[in-house]
Amino acid sequence: MATPRTSTSPTVDRPAALPAVAGKLPTLRRGSAASDAKPLLPHRDPFWLVAHPDRWTVQGGQVVPYLDEVPLTAGVNGVETAYNRETGETFIDTDGLESNLRTKGAIPIPWDVDAQPYIVEPAPGCWVTRWARPTPGSSYVEYDTDGYLAWVASLQDRGLLPRPQRRHLEQLAQATRFDLTHPNTAADKIRTAQLTAILTVLETALETA
Amino acid sequence: MDSILYAGIADLRTVEALSNNFLSLATDRNALPLHPALVYDGDYAKRGTKARKVPHIGWGGYDRPQVVADGALVPRTTLTTGSTTVAVARRSKSYAASDLARFTDPEGGILNAASFANEAAAAHMLALTDLIASLMGGFSNTAGSTGTDLSLANVLAALTLLEVGSKSAIPAGATMGVLHTVQAGDLRTAIATASAGALQWQAPAEQLVIKGNGYRGTYLGVDWFASDYVRTANSGADRAGAIFVRGAVVWADMSQQAEGADQFSIAGKVLFERDREGRSATTDYVSHSYFGASEGLDNHGVSIITDA
C-alpha cells in the first residue's frame, strides 16, 4: 500500500551567495539622503498679501479675509524697478502698485507688520509665505493653516484687518447654499460635506453678528 | 576561448553615449494668446516714457440726464474719472557657453545661436503670460470656496457677478477665463459629470491653433485657458483664477530695434544678441523684452478662488 504523500510548501531556490556579478554590495554615499535635495519650486517674486473689505472666505472653521498674493514684479500693476543715484542700488518701486490697490479699497499688509516677515525664500528666487513647508526633492508644499489663521486673527485683533460685516456673511451663505443645491454638488458627497461644514460656520457667525 | 563581453572592451566603448534626443523639464509652456478680452495699450517705444496712464471715464451714458422742472437750473454733472497705470519693465536672460562646450555639442544639440534664439522667444512670451496670470486673484468680486474643488455652481455664480459688475452681457468669444491647471481639471470634471454628459466641452482643433495650447475650450460663452502661472491664495490653500471681460486687464509692450551685427529682433518684441568675450573664449546669448500688465476696471473681472 502506497504511503500517502504529504503536501509540502514549494521550495524557494535561494542563491548560495550574493550575486557574483555585483562583486560586492553597492554602498550608498553618505549624505545622499532625500533631505539634501532642494524643493522643486518655480520662480516666484516677493509678494504682498492683500485683503479687501469685500472679500471673505471660510477657512479652518472661521470666516477670514481672503488674502491675495500680489507679486512685486516689475511690470505688474505699475510696479517698476528704479535706481537710487545716491546709493547706486536698484530697488522695487511699489508706489504705483500701492496707489492702485488703495484706490479700490484694498489693504496691503506690509512685510514688517511682525518682527518676522511673512514671506521667506526657501529656494533661490522662490518666495512663499512663512507657513509654507516645501518638500525636498518635490514640488509638493505643505501649509501650516493653523499658524496662518492664528496670524490673520492677530492682525484683526490689532485692528490691521477688518472683521466681516453681516452682509458679507449673508453673501457667502447665499453662495454656499446655491452651490449646495446645484445638481452636481448634490451628487458629490465630498463637496456636500465640505460645503455643509462651511455653511454651518457661516450660520453660526450670522447668529452672533 | 573567452567570450567578448561588454565589460571586457572598455577601450572600445564609452561609458555613456549622448543621445540625440533630450527631454524638456516640466514647465507650463503655454503662452496666453492675444484674446479680445485683453486690452492692448500699444507699443511704448518712442513715446518718451516707460509708463502710461490709461484713463477710466464715466462716459457714454454713465451719468444719466436728470429730471429738471421747467425753468429750473440743471445741476452740473460731475465727470467720473479714474486711471490705471501700466509700466513696462525689462526682462532679460543670458546663457553663456564656452567654445569648448559649444564645439563639442553634437548634431542636434542646443548650444547654438538658433536654439538659444528659439528658447528666448518662447521664454519671453511666457513672461507676458506670467504677468497676466498674476493679476487673476486681485478682483474684488470673488466666487468659490476655500478648500473645495471648483464647481459649475462657482462658474455660474462668477458669471452673474461678472454681468452685474461689468453691466454687460457675456458676449461669446469676448470673455476670458484663466484658471490654474487644477481648477481647469475640476471644471472639466464638473462638466463631464453634469447632466449625463449633455453639456459638452468644446475645443475644436482650429480654435486650439488660434488661441494657443493653454486653451481648454469654450463653455457658457467663456474661452477657458489653463495656466500653471495662476498664483496661490489664502496661504496656499487655494488657487486664484478669474473670468473677465474687456477692460479688466490692460497690457503693453515695447519694441526693440536691432542695431549691431550681433543683434536681431524676434518679432519686434525680443531683442536677441550675441556677446563675445574673446579672452575667455565664451559667448553670451542674451535676450531682453519689455512687457507690463495691470488691472484695469476692477468690476470687469471676478476672481475664482477654489482648492489648489
Side-chain angles (χ1 to χ4, degrees):
Chain A
M1 186 176 172
T3 306
R5 295 179 59 187
T6 53
S7 171
T8 57
S9 300
T11 57
V12 177
D13 292 332
R14 294 183 183 280
L18 289 166
V21 176
K24 61 177 182 176
L25 279 176
T27 54
L28 273 173
R29 282 185 296 114
R30 293 190 185 280
S32 62
S35 59
D36 292 344
K38 293 177 182 175
L40 301 178
L41 300 175
H43 176 93
R44 290 178 76 190
D45 286 324
F47 55 88
W48 282 340
L49 291 177
V50 177
H52 188 280
D54 284 340
R55 294 191 309 201
W56 297 89
T57 189
V58 176
Q59 193 172 6
Q62 303 168 45
V63 183
V64 293
Y66 155 59
L67 297 187
D68 181 31
E69 296 176 4
V70 175
L72 304 188
T73 303
V76 178
N77 258 335
V79 175
E80 300 180 57
T81 48
Y83 179 71
N84 187 326
R85 289 181 184 275
E86 293 178 2
T87 63
E89 293 176 342
T90 302
F91 64 98
I92 302 172
D93 182 353
T94 56
D95 287 351
L97 171 64
E98 193 171 348
S99 173
N100 284 348
L101 292 173
R102 294 199 188 281
T103 299
K104 67 174 192 173
I107 308 164
I109 303 171
W111 289 331
D112 59 0
V113 70
D114 301 310
Q116 180 188 10
Y118 59 75
I119 60 170
V120 293
E121 189 182 21
C126 177
W127 292 86
V128 295
T129 65
R130 72 179 193 230
W131 302 279
R133 304 279 181 269
T135 308
S138 166
S139 58
Y140 178 74
V141 181
E142 186 78 46
Y143 292 93
D144 173 15
T145 305
D146 292 341
Y148 166 73
L149 292 175
W151 177 72
V152 171
S154 80
L155 295 181
Q156 290 177 311
D157 291 343
R158 285 182 269 170
L160 299 171
L161 288 182
R163 296 187 188 280
Q165 298 173 17
R166 185 174 182 84
R167 65 185 175 92
H168 299 128
L169 301 174
E170 287 172 344
Q171 285 169 358
L172 276 178
Q174 187 179 2
T176 308
R177 287 190 196 103
F178 174 69
D179 202 344
L180 261 173
T181 53
H182 191 273
N184 262 45
T185 300
D188 185 337
K189 291 180 180 175
I190 295 172
R191 270 188 69 77
T192 300
Q194 288 173 328
L195 293 172
T196 302
I198 289 171
L199 191 58
T200 302
V201 171
L202 291 166
E203 287 173 341
T204 304
L206 274 166
E207 286 173 7
T208 56
Chain B
M1 183 177 176
D2 287 345
S3 299
I4 300 172
L5 299 178
Y6 189 88
I9 55 170
D11 289 334
L12 308 181
R13 299 289 182 269
T14 59
V15 177
E16 288 174 314
L18 198 59
S19 168
N20 287 332
N21 297 313
F22 64 87
L23 307 175
S24 296
L25 292 173
T27 189
D28 188 343
R29 296 183 173 85
N30 295 313
L32 291 176
L34 304 184
H35 192 274
L38 299 167
V39 176
Y40 175 53
D41 193 45
D43 188 339
Y44 282 14
K46 299 176 182 176
R47 293 177 186 266
T49 180
K50 64 176 179 179
R52 293 212 304 183
K53 191 182 279 189
V54 182
H56 311 167
I57 306 175
W59 202 240
Y62 185 84
D63 293 300
R64 276 161 291 182
Q66 294 185 26
V67 176
V68 183
D70 188 29
L73 290 174
V74 59
R76 293 199 171 96
T77 305
T78 302
L79 183 65
T80 306
T81 62
S83 65
T84 294
T85 300
V86 181
V88 295
R90 174 185 154 199
R91 279 176 162 64
S92 299
K93 67 184 300 184
S94 171
Y95 287 112
S98 72
D99 285 358
L100 189 60
R102 285 193 303 124
F103 299 152
T104 54
D105 202 28
E107 288 292 327
I110 60 167
L111 302 185
N112 57 75
S115 289
F116 284 124
N118 284 334
E119 197 281 338
H124 285 275
M125 290 305 108
L126 290 173
L128 175 62
T129 299
D130 190 15
L131 292 184
I132 294 169
S134 66
L135 297 173
M136 297 297 99
F139 299 115
S140 301
N141 287 321
T142 62
S145 301
T146 290
T148 58
D149 292 347
L150 188 148
S151 70
L152 285 180
N154 298 149
V155 172
L156 293 171
L159 282 168
T160 303
L161 285 171
L162 185 62
E163 287 179 328
V164 171
S166 65
K167 321 284 188 218
S168 62
I170 304 299
T175 306
M176 196 171 186
V178 179
L179 300 175
H180 186 262
T181 311
V182 169
Q183 293 180 303
D186 290 340
L187 177 58
R188 182 179 53 207
T189 301
I191 293 170
T193 55
S195 307
L199 303 170
Q200 295 298 315
W201 182 263
Q202 297 174 352
E206 63 272 20
Q207 287 183 323
L208 288 173
V209 173
I210 295 166
K211 293 177 180 170
N213 288 332
Y215 178 58
R216 289 291 201 268
T218 298
Y219 183 62
L220 295 171
V222 179
D223 293 334
W224 296 96
F225 295 83
S227 174
D228 271 7
Y229 292 95
V230 168
R231 298 178 74 91
T232 55
N234 296 320
S235 189
D238 300 322
R239 289 283 177 178
I243 56 173
F244 57 93
V245 292
R246 189 171 176 78
V249 175
V250 187
W251 73 282
D253 58 15
M254 190 177 77
S255 292
Q256 302 170 84
Q257 303 300 318
E259 291 182 333
D262 271 350
Q263 292 184 328
F264 69 92
S265 176
I266 303 171
K269 304 303 181 189
V270 179
L271 185 66
F272 181 81
E273 55 190 311
R274 181 177 170 278
D275 187 12
R276 177 70 180 168
E277 171 56 64
R279 292 195 303 164
S280 63
T282 302
T283 306
D284 271 78
Y285 297 92
V286 193
S287 57
H288 316 274
S289 66
Y290 292 82
F291 290 109
S294 293
E295 182 184 306
L297 301 171
D298 184 48
N299 56 11
H300 280 45
V302 176
S303 296
I304 299 177
I305 319 292
T306 57
D307 189 35

mmCIF file of all heavy atoms in Angstrom, chain A residues 26-32:
data_model
loop_
_atom_site.group_PDB
_atom_site.id
_atom_site.type_symbol
_atom_site.label_atom_id
_atom_site.label_comp_id
_atom_site.label_asym_id
_atom_site.label_seq_id
_atom_site.Cartn_x
_atom_site.Cartn_y
_atom_site.Cartn_z
ATOM 1 N N PRO A 26 26.457 47.241 -3.387
ATOM 2 C CA PRO A 26 26.647 48.673 -3.590
ATOM 3 C C PRO A 26 26.445 49.419 -2.272
ATOM 4 O O PRO A 26 25.611 49.035 -1.461
ATOM 5 C CB PRO A 26 25.560 49.038 -4.605
ATOM 6 C CG PRO A 26 24.536 47.981 -4.466
ATOM 7 C CD PRO A 26 25.260 46.741 -4.062
ATOM 8 N N THR A 27 27.231 50.410 -2.090
ATOM 9 C CA THR A 27 27.084 51.198 -0.860
ATOM 10 C C THR A 27 26.526 52.570 -1.206
ATOM 11 O O THR A 27 26.847 53.145 -2.248
ATOM 12 C CB THR A 27 28.442 51.381 -0.175
ATOM 13 O OG1 THR A 27 29.349 51.940 -1.129
ATOM 14 C CG2 THR A 27 28.972 50.059 0.346
ATOM 15 N N LEU A 28 25.664 53.064 -0.354
ATOM 16 C CA LEU A 28 25.110 54.399 -0.531
ATOM 17 C C LEU A 28 26.111 55.423 -0.033
ATOM 18 O O LEU A 28 26.712 55.245 1.014
ATOM 19 C CB LEU A 28 23.817 54.538 0.277
ATOM 20 C CG LEU A 28 22.526 54.090 -0.398
ATOM 21 C CD1 LEU A 28 21.391 54.142 0.604
ATOM 22 C CD2 LEU A 28 22.208 54.978 -1.581
ATOM 23 N N ARG A 29 26.274 56.459 -0.833
ATOM 24 C CA ARG A 29 27.125 57.543 -0.363
ATOM 25 C C ARG A 29 26.464 58.199 0.836
ATOM 26 O O ARG A 29 25.256 58.402 0.852
ATOM 27 C CB ARG A 29 27.311 58.584 -1.468
ATOM 28 C CG ARG A 29 28.302 58.172 -2.512
ATOM 29 C CD ARG A 29 28.516 59.301 -3.503
ATOM 30 N NE ARG A 29 27.297 59.612 -4.243
ATOM 31 C CZ ARG A 29 26.644 60.753 -4.143
ATOM 32 N NH1 ARG A 29 27.067 61.688 -3.322
ATOM 33 N NH2 ARG A 29 25.562 60.977 -4.854
ATOM 34 N N ARG A 30 27.264 58.509 1.811
ATOM 35 C CA ARG A 30 26.706 59.200 2.970
ATOM 36 C C ARG A 30 26.320 60.612 2.561
ATOM 37 O O ARG A 30 26.973 61.237 1.736
ATOM 38 C CB ARG A 30 27.724 59.246 4.112
ATOM 39 C CG ARG A 30 28.011 57.876 4.691
ATOM 40 C CD ARG A 30 28.835 57.982 5.969
ATOM 41 N NE ARG A 30 29.205 56.660 6.457
ATOM 42 C CZ ARG A 30 28.389 55.886 7.143
ATOM 43 N NH1 ARG A 30 27.161 56.291 7.407
ATOM 44 N NH2 ARG A 30 28.762 54.697 7.551
ATOM 45 N N GLY A 31 25.249 61.080 3.150
ATOM 46 C CA GLY A 31 24.811 62.448 2.852
ATOM 47 C C GLY A 31 23.967 62.548 1.615
ATOM 48 O O GLY A 31 23.687 63.631 1.149
ATOM 49 N N SER A 32 23.574 61.410 1.046
ATOM 50 C CA SER A 32 22.751 61.474 -0.155
ATOM 51 C C SER A 32 21.283 61.268 0.184
ATOM 52 O O SER A 32 20.503 60.854 -0.641
ATOM 53 C CB SER A 32 23.202 60.430 -1.164
ATOM 54 O OG SER A 32 23.037 59.146 -0.605
#
